[in-house]
Amino acid sequence: MELIPKDIKFLTIMNETRLTNGKMLGRYFEEISKQFAFSNSELNASVKRLVKMDMLSVIDAGGKDMVYFHTDKVSRDLLDKELMTVKH
């Protein structure tokens, strides 16, 4: 499976990121959505691919919250440099 440009963007923003009910909320979502447009269905589809590719690991944080982390397969060279500057 090959990464498409949006997968790379999603991979970049999903390190230590919480999704509630499959949605990114709060100030971080506002900042990210200024950088590129995406739907929750695109986000969820990409996250599922990235987990399947073992590029993201997931922790059930209880309720409807899941927290995602980069795995050892993710190198900084692969990530979107501009999105790396957006802080949680």
Side-chain angles (χ1 to χ4, degrees):
M1 214 180 283
E2 192 171 318
L3 295 176
I4 61 173
K6 271 201 173 172
D7 286 335
I8 293 169
K9 290 181 181 299
F10 288 130
L11 179 61
T12 303
I13 65 172
M14 288 307 299
N15 192 36
E16 299 179 10
T17 301
R18 178 182 306 259
L19 296 183
T20 301
N21 231 8
K23 298 176 184 174
M24 187 183 305
L25 305 172
R27 189 180 75 67
Y28 188 55
F29 169 75
E30 292 170 10
E31 291 297 318
I32 294 301
S33 61
K34 289 177 189 174
Q35 301 291 321
F36 74 103
F38 63 91
S39 68
N40 285 320
S41 61
E42 288 176 308
L43 171 63
N44 286 302
S46 183
V47 166
K48 285 179 185 175
R49 271 194 307 278
L50 294 167
V51 168
K52 186 175 182 179
M53 294 172 71
D54 196 33
M55 298 187 92
L56 287 178
S57 62
V58 60
I59 294 175
D60 185 337
K64 298 177 182 179
D65 293 345
M66 305 297 268
V67 182
Y68 296 87
F69 298 89
H70 290 164
T71 67
D72 292 339
K73 286 188 173 184
V74 179
S75 70
R76 291 182 63 83
D77 297 342
L78 178 63
L79 303 176
D80 184 292
K81 305 305 182 241
E82 287 182 37
L83 286 174
M84 286 174 52
T85 64
V86 179
K87 301 294 180 199
H88 287 103

